């Protein structure tokens, strides 16, 4: 015990003892790559070092090319926050938190191979659409593009057993979202290169309408999906 501590009241010492472990457990770091700064915050040091390094590495490997390919003016300052109080999987915030990825460490503990969930969320930062879940920025397309990006830029999707579907199931449609829409986008992009970037730019500028699909492919969206579903069901 230091000389100064001898003169502190017992109650004060007890309070300091309670605070000390919390401060010692916190982990925070800042890293820079390719003109992008990432702040990583884990108030309870909930993730082991190896997982932390994979999360940070995946972010840079995904975000830098996503940003270059889709939106070079996307934020150059981003954050990853590990939040044990969050009971979802992962999300990107809004407004002041629009470049912050929040992760649930419990999910990663149960699914240690799923670090490419960061790739999906990083694409949401790149998207940065001013609106969400309405006619001009439909949620199914937002999430479909993010899963298309996870497939294209993912570092190790196989470790999570994650892949875009190769078949179409009954009841699915172009607006099912996530992987279903992501697979449809991948197929469409292969046939009409530049389609996804066109859709992304239109969503960001508020110019998106379903007519863009026909302008780019020559087919209305429902007909395009029908052709895709027929091709996948024939596999």
């Amino acid at each position: 015990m230091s000389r100064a501590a001898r003169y502190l009241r017992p109650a004060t010492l007890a309070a300091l003892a309670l605070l000390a472990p919390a401060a010692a457990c916190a982990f925070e770091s800042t890293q820079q790559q390719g003109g992008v700064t990432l702040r990583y915050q884990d108030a309870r040091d909930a993730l082991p070092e190896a997982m932390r390094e994979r999360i940070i590495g995946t972010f840079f490997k995904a975000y830098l090319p996503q940003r270059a390919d889709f939106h070079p003016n996307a934020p150059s300052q981003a954050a990853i926050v590990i939040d044990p109080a969050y009971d979802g999987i992962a999300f990107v915030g809004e407004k002041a938190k629009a470049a912050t990825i929040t992760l649930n460490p419990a999910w990663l503990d149960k699914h240690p191979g799923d670090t490419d969930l960061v790739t999906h969320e990083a694409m949401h930062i790149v998207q940065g659409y001013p609106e969400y879940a309405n006619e001009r920025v439909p949620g199914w397309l937002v999430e479909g593009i993010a899963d298309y990006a996870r497939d294209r830029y993912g570092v190790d999707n196989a470790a999570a057993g994650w892949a875009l579907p190769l078949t179409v199931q009954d009841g699915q449609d172009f607006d099912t979202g996530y992987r279903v829409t992501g697979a449809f986008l991948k197929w469409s992009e292969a046939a009409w290169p530049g389609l996804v970037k066109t859709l992304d730019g239109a969503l960001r500028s508020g110019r998106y309408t379903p007519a863009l699909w026909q302008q780019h492919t020559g087919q209305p969206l429902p007909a395009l999906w029908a052709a895709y579903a027929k091709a996948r069901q024939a596999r």
Side-chain angles (χ1 to χ4, degrees):
M1 182 181 294
S2 69
R3 180 176 298 176
R6 294 177 188 172
Y7 295 95
L8 293 175
R9 294 181 177 179
T12 303
L13 288 172
L16 290 174
L18 289 172
L19 290 173
C25 287
F27 181 88
E28 183 171 344
S29 71
T30 300
Q31 299 189 27
Q32 293 181 319
Q33 288 187 36
V36 172
T37 299
L38 175 68
R39 188 177 74 259
Y40 177 98
Q41 297 175 301
D42 186 346
R44 300 183 188 176
D45 202 9
L47 295 182
E49 181 179 1
M51 176 67 76
R52 177 198 314 150
E53 291 178 352
R54 287 172 58 205
I55 290 290
I56 294 172
T58 297
F59 171 81
F60 281 115
K61 288 177 183 177
Y63 185 68
L64 293 179
Q66 288 172 345
R67 183 173 182 259
D69 292 347
F70 285 92
H71 188 200
N73 291 325
S76 60
Q77 305 275 338
I80 292 177
V81 175
I82 310 302
D83 184 4
Y86 170 54
D87 61 1
I89 299 175
F91 75 96
V92 169
E94 300 178 349
K95 298 181 181 180
K97 299 290 186 178
T100 297
I101 300 171
T102 298
L103 303 178
N104 177 359
W107 173 267
L108 290 167
D109 182 58
K110 294 178 181 177
H111 307 85
D114 196 21
T115 49
D116 269 307
L117 61 84
V118 173
T119 302
H120 176 106
E121 301 305 330
M123 188 60 190
H124 282 322
I125 297 177
V126 172
Q127 288 171 313
Y129 305 146
E131 298 177 87
Y132 182 72
N134 58 35
E135 291 183 359
R136 293 201 299 180
V137 186
W140 61 267
L141 185 53
V142 175
E143 298 299 344
I145 290 175
D147 265 358
Y148 164 87
R150 173 167 178 165
D151 175 79
R152 177 173 171 180
Y153 300 95
V155 176
D156 191 5
N157 281 313
W162 189 98
L164 295 178
L166 298 177
T167 59
V168 174
Q169 304 299 319
D170 290 344
Q172 293 179 338
D173 211 329
F174 61 81
D175 59 358
T176 299
Y178 290 95
R179 277 189 261 192
V180 173
T181 300
F184 174 49
L185 287 167
K186 183 177 181 178
W187 176 86
S188 301
E189 176 70 19
W192 294 277
L195 172 64
V196 177
K197 188 172 182 178
T198 296
L199 296 171
D200 170 74
L203 290 164
R204 189 174 299 107
S205 63
R207 296 180 295 103
Y208 173 79
T209 68
L212 281 174
W213 294 81
Q214 183 162 1
Q215 292 173 18
H216 200 91
T217 69
Q219 300 181 57
L221 181 51
L224 195 64
W225 171 264
Y228 165 73
K230 183 178 179 179
R232 288 303 170 94
Q233 290 170 347
R235 284 178 173 266

